[in-house]
Amino acid sequence: MAGLELRNPTMNAAGVLGISAPLLKRIYEGGAGAVVTKSLGGPQRMGHSNPTLVSVEGGALNAMGLPNPGAEYFVEMIRELKGDGVPVVASFFGGSIEEFRDVALVLSEAGVDALEVNVSCPNVAEEMGMLGADPMNTEKVTEAVKEVAKSPVIVKLSPNVTDICEIARAAERGGADAITAVNTLKGLAVDADLRRPILTNVTGGLSGPALKPVALRCVWEIYEAVEIPIIGCGGISNWRDAVEYLLSGATAVEIGTAAMDGGFDIYGKIAEGIREYLVENGFKEVKDIVGLAHGG
Ligand code: SIN
């Protein structure tokens, strides 16, 4: 996919997991085709104060606030993972287009296999805005990252926009090699006894099964709007969910919330389920079923 050759089409989703090399290594040992880091920025960030994660009906709501040790600090961990043969996708963000470019350069020089540009975090909008809400900004960020990237550039989009296809086309114009669809859907949880929002940030991003129909619709629409590959993300809990994403137009999938609930061997189980589905239905490889639900 986009020049990446992975042992299978599963990865973890950047979001809550992925802040250390040992944890990412466990995800790879659990069977993932590649691992995705927690989004890394320029300077270290503490993120929002607790509570930052709450279970809700059909999934989870998080407002981590992009806590991370900074891209420079993470370089050693990337090298450690690469030394162990783990393909690494570095998710990253910036407060400005220049910062996106600077962080991309650091991560690219660390030798990551791909860069995932997070222009879609719903939890820092007041502080640094969500560049991925605007097509022009999305195109400019993508172009800036592409200028310094030595590996494929994947742009992760938000479902919290009016027309996701417009943003996907902007990323493609900017030179994106692939798109991840989607980040979390902005939501709210209120405690009836305390009579106040549960998360310190008030709102958070919804992930898990409740997000799946929205995310699947986004993948479907983007598949019809752009030529570049799509990584489907949102509410995948088993191989059947993953196959639905592939049929809708995704070439690979990212799984986050289900791994927090069910453990890291979920990646291997889903990859094996996809493989069995292909064999049982007479398909040779994943690409044979990508977008098949769109018909002729
Ligand atoms: C967060 O750190 O708030 C979650 C990351 C994201 O949604 O991009």
Side-chain angles (χ1 to χ4, degrees):
M1 183 203 57
L4 280 179
E5 224 172 275
L6 306 179
R7 64 182 178 180
N8 71 58
T10 71
M11 290 171 247
N12 62 299
V16 176
L17 298 172
I19 204 113
S20 75
L23 190 132
L24 289 167
K25 184 122 186 278
R26 279 175 53 207
I27 289 172
Y28 189 66
E29 286 164 359
V35 299
V36 185
T37 68
K38 170 88 185 126
S39 295
L40 301 163
Q44 173 191 24
R45 263 179 77 88
M46 297 305 284
H48 298 312
S49 46
N50 281 322
T52 51
L53 180 66
V54 59
S55 276
V56 294
E57 208 177 334
L61 206 58
N62 92 78
M64 310 302 290
L66 297 173
N68 78 97
E72 294 274 7
Y73 181 88
F74 214 79
V75 164
E76 223 19 73
M77 299 214 211
I78 291 166
R79 297 210 172 113
E80 191 183 321
L81 288 162
K82 294 295 304 165
D84 288 337
V86 180
V88 180
V89 177
S91 170
F92 72 102
F93 66 94
S96 64
I97 291 173
E98 293 67 37
E99 198 178 333
F100 268 97
R101 183 178 24 225
D102 294 346
V103 178
L105 183 59
V106 170
L107 295 169
S108 218
E109 288 185 340
V112 295
D113 296 271
L115 292 160
E116 186 178 75
V117 193
N118 183 358
V119 287
S120 49
C121 177
N123 303 326
V124 292
E126 274 169 23
E127 190 187 337
M128 59 175 83
M130 190 179 80
L131 291 179
D134 176 75
M136 202 138 39
N137 280 334
T138 303
E139 185 174 344
K140 281 191 197 152
V141 171
T142 312
E143 264 172 11
V145 170
K146 279 294 285 184
E147 268 171 36
V148 296
K150 299 185 200 327
S151 48
V153 172
I154 306 162
V155 181
K156 185 168 182 179
L157 301 188
S158 171
N160 305 301
V161 294
T162 309
D163 180 3
I164 197 162
C165 293
E166 200 189 353
I167 314 288
R169 280 191 288 265
E172 188 178 46
R173 274 198 306 278
D177 298 289
I179 280 169
T180 298
V182 287
N183 206 317
T184 54
L185 190 61
K186 196 170 174 181
L188 173 72
V190 170
D191 187 311
D193 299 315
L194 297 175
R195 292 183 278 282
R196 51 186 295 186
I198 295 173
L199 297 173
T200 307
N201 189 52
V202 181
T203 59
L206 176 69
S207 60
L211 175 62
K212 193 183 122 193
V214 175
L216 207 53
R217 181 268 301 168
C218 291
V219 168
W220 181 278
E221 290 180 355
I222 294 169
Y223 181 77
E224 302 212 336
V226 301
E227 300 295 324
I228 51 180
I230 305 162
I231 302 171
C233 178
I236 298 170
S237 306
N238 52 51
W239 68 264
R240 196 168 268 282
D241 292 333
V243 166
E244 290 170 23
Y245 270 89
L246 300 174
L247 293 169
S248 297
T251 298
V253 291
E254 290 182 358
I255 300 136
T257 306
M260 293 196 293
D261 293 342
F264 296 153
D265 61 349
I266 192 168
Y267 297 99
K269 284 186 189 151
I270 290 180
E272 181 55 18
I274 296 171
R275 197 191 64 78
E276 281 171 15
Y277 175 87
L278 294 176
V279 172
E280 277 165 24
N281 290 282
F283 297 107
K284 276 212 199 97
E285 46 189 338
V286 168
K287 75 169 191 259
D288 294 342
I289 64 165
V290 171
L292 210 57
H294 291 253

